[in-house]
Amino acid sequence: MRNFDVKKYIEEGKTTYSKRKDIEALADKVTARGYNNIVIIGIGGTWAEWHPVVHVMKHYTDLPIYLENAAELCIKKDKRYLTKDSLVITVSASGDTKEILAAVKMCKEMGIEVAGFTKNNETPLAKELDYIIANPCGDCEDSYMMFFMLGLRLLYNRGEFPNYEKFADQMGVLHENLLRIREEFEPRAAEIARAYAKEPYNIFVGSGTLWGETYLFSMCILEEMQWVRTKSVTSADFFHGTLELVDKDVPVFLFKGEDEYRELDNRVERFCQKITDKLIVIDTKDYDLKGIDEEFRVICSPMILTALVTERLAAHYELNTGHSLDFRRYYRQFDY
Amino acid sequence: MRNFDVKKYIEEGKTTYSKRKDIEALADKVTARGYNNIVIIGIGGTWAEWHPVVHVMKHYTDLPIYLENAAELCIKKDKRYLTKDSLVITVSASGDTKEILAAVKMCKEMGIEVAGFTKNNETPLAKELDYIIANPCGDCEDSYMMFFMLGLRLLYNRGEFPNYEKFADQMGVLHENLLRIREEFEPRAAEIARAYAKEPYNIFVGSGTLWGETYLFSMCILEEMQWVRTKSVTSADFFHGTLELVDKDVPVFLFKGEDEYRELDNRVERFCQKITDKLIVIDTKDYDLKGIDEEFRVICSPMILTALVTERLAAHYELNTGHSLDFRRYYRQFDY
């Protein structure tokens, strides 16, 4: 596969999986401490990665869970739910995301403890955190795996996700599955990128557990790293405006998931089949997960999608656009 | 002003304002009945119109308020907050929006009462409702005014918005203000539309109380009614992907509001001033509201913005694109 180091991938997967005990210890510690709500602070890609985790958690619990944009949290006045009784969780792999640091500092000034994920114990973020999960490596699926482990362990401790141990055990085979899935998808990734990487405008549609990844791929990968123009919209909202832009030659990327929202995705698919010659459907259901129970497939669906698009498809876009995924002209290049 | 009937506008404003007593009676009745949360059901433009109302309400109350997409609500499994103790509110001016009707029928089957806004007592929606606010006329600002009256009257009844009477009294001069504001903006609307109506791609940025209207204008007006390609993004998320697409000749429309999120809008403005020659800033603060107190300006900001863009700017886009605002090729044209 283009630009993909299999050995490194499997090793990094093992390292990430080995964080399970730290994550469970964290969940158990904060459970013992007690909390009356959960406030998760992300921004851009990290907000999007937490989106399916919160989405799934809300399926199992009534506990108030707030998924906050760090920049907005800092300035908004109505944040009375953010107290010393909150369980605050954040993430910045680099550990120097400006808005995340500001939000964490604000929490600290309010006397509120913060748990977070970052690459090591030395980042600026790590220095502010009360509880650190340090992991130097990984693709988005590693983030998803760690975040789901934390979120679902918390629910397990509340008696709301009794199958946590089985879920976490089975995550041990996630990476080998996602490696095989990548290999299966590789020719299609090459073909899609060859056909569409230079399109002047692209519609991305997803829903439910896949909405976060749909938003992430279009904004944080294609816009930020490839300067490709996108519009992302949920499968429900697609029919309230964006549909009118679909035409024979307008590419619509539909990311089909496996939760109850799939019905809404199907509606988009039926419509687009009639209108555009450029409908690209990526369906997580087409990919086997060996050794992982059916009941955990929805949880794994954003992990499958991120392996397919955010990682593999992006690599092939790069090849066709000639625009390095590492090159930015503005983002983090100067103060703004 | 192009395609604008002043007399009709003022008369329709009066009709809408005259609904105040029905709205207050509804609020008082459901307050007496009791409820433990509020579930608001919209889709597309109606979801977007409720967005600032919920945003402002959450500023004043801890009461759980859920703003739901009708299509998603119908299929989602985790809706345990939707019970007979919920206050359910919906809207469909035409009264035949498919997803809204389905959601309301679902509520009725669950034995849950529903209050709603629709054009008259004869629409399919009206036939399902337990409480009806019937209003045959109006622009988006009329919807905002009615929704804010209902939402804030409910909070007033809870002791959380003590200045409700003053607010509602002052709404009596809203339309004359928005008429004058339209006239002030008219030459600029003509100029903006002349310069940008045919742009192949447009970025729309807004935040906080104006996010709903930003989303609505780009999706429900420009995409649906003008087939203009847009990307809408919040002022916070703009810096996590979309910024890389800004270039000297890429139009960025920034809608600046008057709440605490303005700080985030300012950051977008400073950045874009350096990068693009096509920055269009529309700032609600530039427009006086005579006879309306400063403390209600944030509430009125989406009403100002909708008068400026969703109504006036759209009228001038139509003139320049030659594409009637009434013409759709797919939306409501056939089953999908």
Side-chain angles (χ1 to χ4, degrees), chain A residues 171-186:
Chain A
M171 285 301 94
V173 298
L174 179 73
H175 286 75
E176 59 195 72
N177 272 287
L178 295 183
L179 175 60
R180 176 184 39 77
I181 287 171
R182 276 175 163 84
E183 283 161 351
E184 287 169 25
F185 183 67
E186 189 67 2

Side-chain angles (χ1 to χ4, degrees), chain A residues 62 80 215 223 237 242 246, chain B residues 62 80 215 223 237 242 330:
Chain A
D62 273 337
R80 72 204 90 176
Y215 187 76
E223 293 188 349
D237 270 357
T242 309
V246 182
Chain B
D62 273 337
R80 73 205 87 175
Y215 187 77
E223 293 188 348
D237 270 358
T242 309
Y330 313 126

Side-chain angles (χ1 to χ4, degrees), chain A residues 56-220:
Chain A
V56 167
M57 288 176 78
K58 285 187 176 175
H59 186 72
Y60 292 105
T61 186
D62 273 337
L63 181 77
I65 309 175
Y66 302 88
L67 176 55
E68 294 288 332
N69 177 296
E72 292 178 354
L73 184 66
C74 285
I75 54 155
K76 81 195 234 191
K77 289 177 187 158
D78 50 329
K79 51 191 169 204
R80 72 204 90 176
Y81 51 86
L82 182 63
T83 73
K84 289 177 187 177
D85 293 323
S86 299
L87 168 53
V88 179
I89 302 168
T90 194
V91 54
S92 167
S94 66
D96 63 0
T97 310
K98 202 171 159 178
E99 296 95 332
I100 297 288
L101 279 174
V104 171
K105 279 178 187 160
M106 182 193 70
C107 290
K108 303 304 297 176
E109 278 159 21
M110 293 165 78
I112 302 169
E113 291 188 333
V114 182
F117 295 81
T118 185
K119 67 179 173 188
N120 62 45
N121 292 315
E122 309 307 320
T123 69
L125 175 61
K127 296 199 169 96
E128 300 289 335
L129 294 174
D130 299 282
Y131 310 95
I132 303 172
I133 302 295
N135 185 19
C137 53
D139 290 289
C140 289
E141 62 255 44
D142 296 79
S143 300
Y144 283 130
M145 188 174 83
M146 293 192 297
F147 301 167
F148 270 112
M149 277 183 176
L150 177 57
L152 297 176
R153 177 72 175 199
L154 289 167
L155 298 194
Y156 168 79
N157 289 343
R158 296 166 52 86
E160 295 170 328
F161 189 74
N163 286 341
Y164 172 79
E165 290 289 352
K166 194 161 127 192
F167 161 74
D169 287 350
Q170 296 185 357
M171 285 301 94
V173 298
L174 179 73
H175 286 75
E176 59 195 72
N177 272 287
L178 295 183
L179 175 60
R180 176 184 39 77
I181 287 171
R182 276 175 163 84
E183 283 161 351
E184 287 169 25
F185 183 67
E186 189 67 2
R188 209 174 156 221
E191 182 195 331
I192 294 170
R194 208 157 41 229
Y196 301 109
K198 290 178 184 165
E199 285 283 351
Y201 169 76
N202 306 271
I203 298 173
F204 286 83
V205 193
S207 69
T209 318
L210 294 189
W211 172 244
E213 185 66 24
T214 306
Y215 187 76
L216 185 156
F217 178 65
S218 62
M219 185 171 78
C220 307

Side-chain angles (χ1 to χ4, degrees), chain B residues 5-6 27 69 94 97 99 107 128 152 167 176 189 192 199 202 204 212 215 238 244 247 253 278 303 315 321 331 335:
Chain B
D5 182 335
V6 171
N69 176 296
S94 66
T97 309
E99 296 95 331
C107 290
E128 300 290 334
L152 297 176
F167 162 73
E176 59 196 72
I192 294 171
E199 284 285 349
N202 307 269
F204 285 82
Y215 187 77
F238 171 82
E244 286 287 338
D247 210 338
F253 289 74
K278 297 182 177 178
M303 307 178 194
T321 59
Y331 183 67
D335 275 342

Side-chain angles (χ1 to χ4, degrees), chain B residues 13 31 50 75 91 132 176 178 187 220 270 272 286 295 302 315 320:
Chain B
T31 298
W50 273 104
I75 53 154
V91 56
I132 303 172
E176 59 196 72
L178 295 183
C220 307
R270 284 193 303 271
C272 290
D286 291 342
E295 65 175 308
N320 285 274

